[in-house]
């Protein structure tokens, strides 16, 4: 399993009148975690797109456990739990300042050829970069 942590601070504009992060912002935090996780593997989105591959989100699931609040510093833990095929699944945990699990989520993205707009296999170099995390 591949795991990557990104640390973020919740800004005032991301919260509602109760000082809690607005529910629609959770997907944005997941995106930050996903982009940084891929970047850490040497695959920033720019590289993937320049190679003619798009990654639309197919599914998004969120379980809200505890509220994320204004000015909290949170860890966005991003996990890839299985090797990518024509899809790649990301699991997320938002962990609060005290180490408490605040939110769990999951997205499934599909590899799509930029020209044909048809699903395709994951880029071989990305599969190879992730292979050591699934060996054994």
């Amino acid at each position: 399993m591949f795991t990557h942590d990104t640390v973020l601070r919740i800004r005032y504009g991301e919260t509602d009148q109760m000082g809690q992060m607005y529910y629609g912002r959770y997907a944005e935090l997941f995106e930050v975690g996903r982009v940084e996780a891929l970047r850490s593997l040497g695959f920033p989105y720019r590289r993937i797109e320049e190679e003619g591959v798009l990654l639309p989100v197919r599914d998004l699931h969120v379980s809200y456990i505890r509220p994320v609040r204004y000015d909290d510093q949170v860890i966005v833990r991003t996990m890839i739990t299985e090797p990518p095929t024509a899809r790649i699944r990301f699991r997320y945990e938002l962990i609060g300042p005290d180490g408490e699990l605040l939110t769990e989520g999951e997205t499934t993205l599909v590899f799509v050829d930029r020209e044909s707009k048809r699903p395709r296999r994951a880029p071989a170099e990305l599969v190879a970069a992730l292979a050591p995390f699934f060996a054994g």
Side-chain angles (χ1 to χ4, degrees):
M1 178 170 72
F2 170 78
T3 302
H4 183 269
D5 287 352
T6 303
V7 179
L8 299 170
R9 186 168 301 278
I10 305 307
R11 300 171 298 181
Y12 183 79
E14 296 170 322
T15 62
D16 59 21
Q17 289 183 338
M18 296 179 288
Q20 298 178 7
M21 191 165 71
Y22 177 68
Y23 79 95
R25 298 288 185 160
Y26 287 79
E28 292 177 14
L29 293 189
F30 295 165
E31 179 184 9
V32 170
R34 180 172 67 245
V35 166
E36 293 305 319
L38 288 172
R39 183 186 317 279
S40 77
L41 288 165
F43 290 88
Y45 263 55
R46 180 181 307 266
R47 175 182 174 185
I48 294 169
E49 290 176 351
E50 286 173 352
E51 293 177 5
V53 180
L54 303 174
L55 272 171
V57 174
R58 180 179 181 269
D59 296 303
L60 165 66
H61 302 279
V62 183
S63 295
Y64 307 98
I65 299 166
R66 301 255 188 274
V68 176
R69 300 184 184 281
Y70 166 65
D71 206 38
D72 280 353
Q73 183 171 298
V74 297
I75 296 170
V76 181
R77 179 158 295 145
T78 305
M79 298 158 277
I80 301 172
T81 59
E82 59 194 35
T85 56
R87 298 178 183 164
I88 186 167
R89 181 172 293 126
F90 295 89
R91 287 189 46 232
Y92 310 93
E93 295 177 347
L94 299 183
I95 301 167
D98 59 358
E100 184 176 20
L101 179 63
L102 304 174
T103 307
E104 293 180 306
E106 184 174 292
T107 56
T108 302
L109 286 78
V110 179
F111 293 96
V112 172
D113 180 85
R114 169 180 260 143
E115 297 302 318
S116 70
K117 306 293 191 262
R118 305 282 302 159
R120 54 157 286 172
R121 307 252 341 131
E125 291 177 344
L126 176 59
V127 173
L130 284 165
F133 298 97
F134 300 104

